Amino acid sequence: MSGIVVAGAGAFGTALALALCGSREVMLWGRDAAAVAEMEQSRTNPRLPGVTLPPVLTLTADPESLARADVLLLAIPAQSLRGVLADHAGALAGKPLVACGKGIDLETLEGPSAAIRRVLPTALPLVLTGPSFAADIARGLPTALTLACADPEAGSRLQALLATPVLRLYRTTDLVGAELGGALKNVVAIACGACIGGGFGESARAALLTRGFAEMRRLALRVGAEETTLMGLSGLGDLVLTATSECSRNYRFGLSLGRREGFAAGVTVEGAATAQAAMRLGDRLGLELPVTQAVAGLVKGQTDVGSALRGLLDRPLKAE
């Protein structure tokens, strides 16, 4: 394998392409031809200020480039993934497809690997996830991620191909655990941001983070995830990063909810949709998910931060 295409020219897709380009052929593909042309001319991405795109990184909006790839990294938001796969099914069929978006599909209540199997049964689904900010990866700062693949041999090959001196990949066969950890931590991050934005303090945030992690485990284990995966980079590791830093879009979105402020238009906040999807999945499975329920209500404007927190505090006392 030699040709790597990163599909999705947002901040994270661009950062991954930057991390991978150098001694190997890497192409960054975007759906918006005008935006890609502007990036090609300026050699910058406005979502990654201060970062220059090197000449060795090829940018394109040509769908034919997808067919020429040996491996595709899909840096596509979870709610858009099935549509992109369907639109380019002919080019993507039979290839290793590495899903890099974090979320649960609102319609199917499934993660990215299931979306790949649903639309492209002949493709090999993988998931790349873990604690990472696009700006850190783009600047070449050390980052460790989880690469999930049900086929151990294929996973090992892709691990060797995609790892770099500063991008360390740990391998697992637990696709469900890896993708649910990455999706559900965004919901908890919104809750933690709302807690701080609402002025309830860091002790309350620590409680929310801990109880939110318990919900993540409860839901993920119920649908077949492995405990060790949730305790690793793609679960606890990603949660700690995302729920405590203003570099996180989901945390910042929570801050805006707590402060009753508007949020930047056009910025993808995967946790907002994931909260709704996780609630539906929890209802289907008969699980109580009070933190997720609170975030779902906040996102839909059905409650405010004060009422949501009081609802959590008023729950019956029980053993941990």
Side-chain angles (χ1 to χ4, degrees):
M1 296 178 180
S2 57
I4 300 172
V5 172
V6 180
F12 196 69
T14 301
L16 285 174
L18 285 168
L20 294 170
C21 72
S23 60
R24 63 199 115 187
E25 179 186 352
V26 177
M27 183 177 294
L28 178 62
W29 176 85
R31 290 177 285 174
D32 186 333
V36 171
E38 175 59 31
M39 289 172 59
E40 176 67 41
Q41 182 176 7
S42 67
R43 302 308 295 181
T44 62
N45 184 330
R47 299 186 184 184
L48 289 172
V51 175
T52 300
L53 308 182
V56 294
L57 176 61
T58 303
L59 286 81
T60 183
D62 181 6
E64 293 300 318
S65 63
L66 302 177
R68 295 191 292 270
D70 295 310
V71 179
L72 285 113
L73 278 67
L74 304 173
I76 307 291
Q79 306 308 321
S80 305
L81 181 59
R82 280 191 299 124
V84 172
L85 294 173
D87 289 344
H88 304 285
L92 303 179
K95 297 179 182 293
L97 303 180
V98 186
C100 305
K102 300 175 180 179
I104 301 173
D105 190 293
L106 270 168
E107 182 178 331
T108 66
L109 305 185
E110 296 173 334
S113 64
I116 293 171
R117 287 191 295 267
R118 179 183 291 270
V119 181
L120 295 165
T122 62
L124 174 67
L126 299 94
V127 171
L128 183 65
T129 185
S132 54
F133 290 140
D136 290 347
I137 294 175
R139 290 163 57 201
L141 299 179
T143 303
L145 300 174
T146 296
L147 180 67
C149 181
D151 181 336
E153 184 178 340
S156 182
R157 290 198 306 271
L158 270 295
Q159 179 187 33
L161 176 69
L162 300 176
T164 78
V166 292
L167 191 63
R168 182 172 177 82
L169 304 185
Y170 288 84
R171 189 176 69 254
T172 180
T173 57
D174 181 16
L175 283 160
V176 173
E179 62 190 8
L180 277 182
L184 297 174
K185 58 87 185 179
N186 284 333
V187 179
V188 182
I190 293 174
C192 289
C195 176
I196 295 298
F200 293 100
E202 295 190 6
S203 297
R205 177 176 63 181
L208 272 175
L209 191 153
T210 306
R211 297 313 304 162
F213 182 57
E215 283 190 20
M216 289 171 55
R217 291 176 62 252
R218 190 181 312 143
L219 179 55
L221 294 177
R222 183 67 172 270
V223 295
E226 298 174 10
E227 178 81 27
T228 52
T229 309
L230 273 296
M231 296 301 297
L233 289 167
S234 57
L236 181 60
D238 209 355
L239 173 63
V240 169
L241 179 71
T242 310
T244 59
S245 172
E246 291 194 33
C247 291
S248 159
R249 295 188 303 268
N250 291 277
Y251 184 75
R252 292 200 310 274
F253 179 65
L255 284 173
S256 72
L257 291 174
R259 294 168 178 167
R260 299 175 183 268
E261 298 174 348
F263 193 68
V267 175
T268 300
V269 181
E270 288 282 21
T274 298
Q276 311 301 322
M279 272 303 302
R280 295 178 195 171
L281 185 56
D283 289 343
R284 177 188 292 177
L285 298 171
L287 294 176
E288 278 194 292
L289 305 172
V291 175
T292 303
Q293 183 177 20
V295 172
L298 283 172
V299 168
K300 296 183 74 172
Q302 296 171 338
T303 187
D304 57 47
V305 173
S307 299
L309 187 61
R310 283 193 296 273
L312 292 172
L313 292 173
D314 289 343
R315 289 175 54 78
L317 299 175
K318 61 179 183 178
E320 188 176 31

